[in-house]
Amino acid sequence: MTKLQERNRAGLKLLRTGGGTRGLLSAEGHRAGQGGTLRAAVFGINDGLVSNISLVMGVAGAGTDSRFVLLAGLSGLLAGAFSMAAGEYVSMSAQREVFEAQIAFEQRELADDPQGELAELTQIYRAKGLPEAQAATLAASMMADPRIALDTHAREELGLDPDELGSPWGAAFSSFGAFVVGAIIPVIPYIIFGNPTAFWASVLLSALALFIVGVLLTTFTGRNWLYSGLRMMLIGTLAAGVTYLVGRLIGVSVTG
Ligand SMILES: [Zn+2]
């Protein structure tokens, strides 16, 4: 591995861990396929749910007309979904650019130093446990076709699948959708009812949804479903309780 590759790889690691859950998830989604996609969806739904419950409860706490709560809830839904989609798009594009740069660099190396690259691939097969002669034959046949050579180096050396570098638009759309699914839940009662029914229906529906998301998370964590469900419900309720109180205080100071 050359200096530039090392730097690229270090940069990539930063990108994956530095982007918070979002960056991490998209990187994992890219590698883990379906499992990663499902996990990203559950976290996206959770994001939408917690952020919009908090928003709805904050506005509801101020004792405003239920139509304003509905307006705030729908705005919060769109604002959050666009923000998630934009963040996911940028993060996935950056990741893709790093991968493409790595592959382009590999392509230059293959052109500039085919003997060195042949030796490198032989070493990789040796490390996988093939005997010297077999490793050399296999590496030589992989190197015969430039396209196969590049594809093989990308997979074996960089650990990348050149056909699956991640789609920025796909990531943007799916995170938008997941956020909307979560964020619409506390808003639904306000579409149907007025106060005070809408408020209590929103609290109950949100608490139930938080519990379900907590239970869904056990698919990946393997933890006890009741514990996970209740913990998620507690976290979401705390967040919503804080914004409700803030809304109440501001509502009182404005009207009183
Ligand atoms: Zn190489």
Side-chain angles (χ1 to χ4, degrees):
M1 192 157 53
T2 65
K3 275 266 153 54
L4 181 61
Q5 277 172 310
E6 269 170 46
R7 218 167 351 129
N8 273 347
R9 205 166 286 193
L12 189 63
K13 222 175 250 167
L14 262 180
L15 213 114
R16 283 191 181 152
T17 47
T21 25
R22 222 188 284 155
L24 193 69
L25 285 173
S26 60
E28 279 180 6
H30 162 66
R31 309 218 147 224
Q34 286 307 96
T37 310
L38 180 64
R39 187 203 289 245
V42 174
F43 277 105
I45 291 171
N46 188 48
D47 269 350
L49 190 56
V50 173
S51 90
N52 230 23
I53 294 168
S54 305
L55 180 65
V56 164
M57 289 301 135
V59 181
T64 44
D65 190 305
S66 66
R67 283 171 306 168
F68 291 122
V69 183
L70 175 61
L71 177 65
L74 290 176
S75 306
L77 175 149
L78 284 176
F82 278 122
S83 150
M84 294 299 285
E88 195 60 38
Y89 182 87
V90 169
S91 146
M92 191 59 102
S93 301
Q95 179 183 295
R96 211 193 149 92
E97 282 156 18
V98 172
F99 289 158
E100 281 167 354
Q102 285 182 314
I103 291 174
F105 188 79
E106 195 63 35
Q107 188 159 30
R108 273 200 303 281
E109 276 198 326
L110 281 166
D112 294 347
D113 181 19
Q115 281 311 309
E117 289 297 302
L118 175 65
E120 196 179 59
L121 193 55
T122 309
Q123 267 318 108
I124 289 172
Y125 289 138
R126 284 280 291 147
K128 285 191 172 184
L130 283 186
E132 179 75 53
Q134 240 175 305
T137 317
L138 184 57
S141 65
M142 289 297 190
M143 293 292 284
D145 182 330
R147 270 178 315 156
I148 297 176
L150 180 60
D151 191 83
T152 307
H153 276 261
R155 286 171 201 269
E156 301 292 354
E157 200 187 327
L158 306 172
L160 296 175
D161 180 348
D163 305 321
E164 293 271 342
L165 293 183
S167 149
W169 279 110
F173 278 121
S174 52
S175 59
F176 187 96
F179 191 94
V180 167
V181 169
I184 195 72
I185 288 169
V187 183
I188 290 171
Y190 283 92
I191 299 173
I192 306 168
F193 310 112
N195 273 330
T197 315
F199 176 79
W200 290 111
S202 181
V203 169
L204 284 177
L205 199 60
S206 301
L208 182 68
L210 283 165
F211 185 81
I212 291 171
V213 165
V215 172
L216 282 178
L217 284 177
T218 59
T219 322
F220 322 116
T221 59
R223 298 292 288 269
N224 178 277
W225 65 272
L226 187 62
Y227 169 78
S228 183
L230 289 176
R231 184 180 59 177
M232 188 54 80
M233 205 160 86
L234 184 73
I235 293 169
T237 309
L238 272 176
V242 169
T243 59
Y244 178 81
L245 284 177
V246 170
R248 247 206 116 101
L249 285 174
I250 293 174
V252 165
S253 74
V254 168
T255 52

